[in-house]
Amino acid sequence: MLMNAYKRFPVNFVRGKGPFLYSDQNHEYIDCVSGIAVNCLGHSHPAMVQAAKEQSEKLFHISNLYQNDMQTLLAQKLIRNSYHQQVFFCNSGTEANELAIKIVRKHGHNIAPNKTKILYMKESFHGRSTGALAITGQEKYQVDFRPLMGDVVECEFNNIEMAKSLVNEDFCGIFIEPVQGESGIRAVTSEFLQTLRELADQFNALLVFDEIQCGMGRMGTLFAYQQMNVVPDVVTIAKALGGGVPIAACLTREKANNIIVPGDHGSTYGGNPFVCAIAHAVLTELIDHGVVAAVEERGSYTQKKLNLLKVKYPFVKEIRGKGLLLGIQFDESMVKASDVVNSAFEARLLLVGAGDNVVRFFPPLNISLDHIDAMVGRLEQVLDNIVIQ
């Protein structure tokens, strides 16, 4: 009946509350996946529920042909809390990246006909649509869908000399995730990021940050770039922006502003009143009610707990990440990350894997320390029963 696009676990969840999910068999699971960094406030957060109720009694959807107060309020909140000036709302991170591609390409065309090349990073992940897939540096996702969009050039992540050797006047854009999530919670170095900023400025290209997984508070600031010394021309966000409803955004600043004009781009559902009302409630919790401000403390506490597992188990190789964007790398010669995820599921702890034999640890951003203890404690029980290869 359903297209065979997902490898699903044998469970049907019917309700959730905070960091817990409940199956149709009424079994309780601790959720440390958070919809892959989506459910930043956990499940059924009262502020989101109230916003959904209030807005559903007013207006679900209107075309973007008309003004939309909730969209304006959400845009204002993002702009006031960022270094950017313009916002376009869409439905998913992939869509936000597709718009970013169009922005950098049009920027290039406005300068010179052959200024079309885009630099992207090896092991990156920007989405599964054909444009975003072309700048996703993982062959396993690309191979069956070629030919993809052309004039894209791959660079090794954090390789300064390689970036310098590749970028020239023909480049219109540079795409990077400040932390590569899908490939194993791999963080960019400040030196590499500064190099990309300098190259973009030197050759009049636009620097784009994909913060779909690492942004919206997960690293301890609303935007990941706010704790770096580099500000991107374009930043894409999604996932936690809606806390569970489908909304994403592409934000621009300065020379990236006003590139898109009527007719260049659009979205039927993007930024409708219903999703914007809920996203506004999410941002209010994150910013005004102190959730993001507490992420650093919660993240530090979690990392200390996870590092105790590293001391205890020889197959735990490294604890990666910052804030609550965390990954546990296992020694592949002894333990496969997929086995940990599967064993955790049997113990009713939900985890998700990543590249580089990493298991991601993504609790809600408003998680309590007691719930962190419960998550790590259950993970410890799982690791106690891991059979070393």
Side-chain angles (χ1 to χ4, degrees), residues 145-171:
F145 304 102
R146 297 188 185 280
L148 298 168
M149 180 182 70
D151 274 2
V152 294
V153 179
E154 185 178 87
C155 178
E156 288 183 4
F157 193 60
N158 286 331
N159 189 328
I160 291 174
E161 293 308 314
M162 186 175 185
K164 288 181 177 179
S165 72
L166 291 172
V167 180
N168 56 41
E169 294 285 356
D170 293 336
F171 280 76

Side-chain angles (χ1 to χ4, degrees), residues 184-201:
I185 317 299
R186 300 169 67 236
V188 70
T189 65
S190 58
E191 295 82 6
F192 186 64
L193 213 53
Q194 186 60 46
T195 297
L196 296 184
R197 178 71 272 173
E198 292 169 359
L199 288 169
D201 292 342

